[in-house]
Amino acid sequence: MVNVGLRAYIWRDKSAENQTARELWSLNGVTYSGYRDYVSHCKEHGFPEQQMLQPKRRPSSAGGPSVAASEHSVSSLTSLSSQATVPYSFAGMQHILEDTEVRVTVLKFANLSSDLLAYGGQDGVVRIAQLGTSCSICHVLKQHHKAISDLDWSLENTFLLSAGLDGSVSMWLSATGQLLRVFLTASAALCARFHLVNQNLVMAGTESGIVQVFNCSTGKLVLGQPVPGSGSSQGGTSCSAMAVSNNLLFVADNRGVIYTWRCNIKNGILQSLALIARTAALVGTASDTASLVYSPYSSTARGQALLMSSLDGHLSLLKLADAAAGKLEIICTVEVPRAARKIRATFCPKVLITEPEYVVMGGEDTSVYIYDISKPSLGPTVITRLQGHMAPVVDVSWSYDEMLLASCDCDGAVIIWKREKGH
């Protein structure tokens, strides 16, 4: 119940200037009286945030993963007066994995399966989880002695690559967890990929700015190429992220520059790695790259595209304008909240090629955001916000059937979100 007499007494003691300021106050088009009525309503019926059930995480039993499910903890940031259908609606949480207390640095769904998920942590351990009606950890892979920086599956998910800051890239047999190869890199390995055309080749980008290619069969280094600016004593260039498309390799450095390399392969043998283009994705600024993702089609770019996220909060969409020359064109750049660490972003799946450009990424505020970046003049529009993490979210990954979204945070939790059917 509102105490009108007490409010009038307090109001009377305010100066005329403060009374006028109170009457003119507004937020998002709502006056102070409207805000006061809203608070009174929430005190009686409960605040929306209190009505959103947070999952109770139970401790693991017998050393296994902790798993929970929830039909709540999903928030769509739309107008309270709007009842329009929200793209990318989620039914809730499918699973929660909490078998580690250290930061999960990277995670990735398998290519041809929605039941396999790999994730690596700050402690250098990689885990492979089997998802389904129940959830279990199939393999715990221990080889690296520093943080895992990147993961990649082979096309048929037979092999799994893990790149570590200890200066090595490991190749694992995913079915058994057996360590097959360890490739020693020139310095800390920041990114690694299988070659799409020749899966016997592994490409790695290092902190010292060297792109190295290894042969999986022999374990030997095939060749190494420095990116421009690498090798300097101070402020040298490093290979922060990479993406692949057929015989093209895209490498983003720690200054927001993307280098396009052509892998010249003849009779299954890599003859050379040629640098054919250089594109500054960030105009007028330089920032370390958090992630680089390739998409065969972007509705905004109207063709092949790359999505690059930067440490300073920039999301850049680039079009592959000329595949033969490796030429990239900046389509748009939008700003999201700055982060204190690298937070990866990726494209959202499309049902129709005419759909707007949606991307998903985590945030320092412990939420997962889906943005619409198709109208850069308006900035990124928040389409959906997923809440359930208790620490900053650093990476996200879509499943093969596009029905599950995985996200990981700095407290070691991995959440599997399930989309609503029909979306």
Side-chain angles (χ1 to χ4, degrees), residues 216-267:
C216 295
S217 299
T218 63
K220 295 182 178 180
L221 176 67
V222 178
L223 58 83
Q225 291 285 353
V227 298
S230 63
S232 58
S233 58
Q234 292 183 350
T237 303
S238 62
C239 303
S240 299
M242 63 170 48
V244 290
S245 167
N246 296 328
N247 279 328
L248 292 181
L249 170 65
F250 306 98
V251 178
D253 68 8
N254 56 335
R255 299 173 181 177
V257 178
I258 300 177
Y259 303 90
T260 306
W261 304 75
R262 179 185 292 113
C263 302
N264 298 314
I265 297 180
K266 184 177 181 180
N267 298 326

Side-chain angles (χ1 to χ4, degrees), residues 157-187:
N157 304 322
T158 304
F159 307 110
L160 175 68
L161 282 182
S162 59
L165 299 184
D166 57 356
S168 68
V169 176
S170 300
M171 186 172 75
W172 310 84
L173 187 62
S174 61
T176 63
Q178 178 186 357
L179 178 63
L180 299 178
R181 294 287 185 192
V182 176
F183 309 105
L184 299 180
T185 54
S187 58

Side-chain angles (χ1 to χ4, degrees), residues 95-166:
H95 304 290
I96 298 178
L97 300 172
E98 289 185 303
D99 58 306
T100 177
E101 295 182 355
V102 301
R103 173 185 172 185
V104 177
T105 53
V106 59
L107 82 171
K108 196 166 189 178
F109 267 107
N111 288 317
L112 301 175
S113 171
S114 298
D115 297 330
L116 280 178
L117 175 71
Y119 57 98
Q122 192 75 25
D123 56 356
V125 178
V126 178
R127 292 169 172 84
I128 300 179
Q130 180 74 43
L131 309 179
T133 54
S134 61
C135 180
S136 61
I137 302 298
C138 300
H139 306 292
V140 178
L141 313 178
K142 296 182 178 181
Q143 168 63 29
H144 301 276
H145 57 269
K146 287 188 178 181
I148 303 299
S149 55
D150 204 2
L151 295 170
D152 193 38
W153 293 87
S154 61
L155 284 179
E156 296 181 351
N157 304 322
T158 304
F159 307 110
L160 175 68
L161 282 182
S162 59
L165 299 184
D166 57 356

Side-chain angles (χ1 to χ4, degrees), residues 358 370-373 375 378-384:
Y358 298 124
I370 294 181
Y371 293 105
D372 180 355
I373 62 169
K375 299 178 180 178
L378 302 178
T381 303
V382 177
I383 300 300
T384 302

Side-chain angles (χ1 to χ4, degrees), residues 94 109 114 397-399 401-406 416-418:
Q94 180 89 343
F109 267 107
S114 298
S397 178
W398 287 102
S399 64
D401 62 3
E402 302 174 350
M403 287 301 297
L404 300 177
L405 175 66
I416 313 298
W417 310 87
K418 185 177 181 180

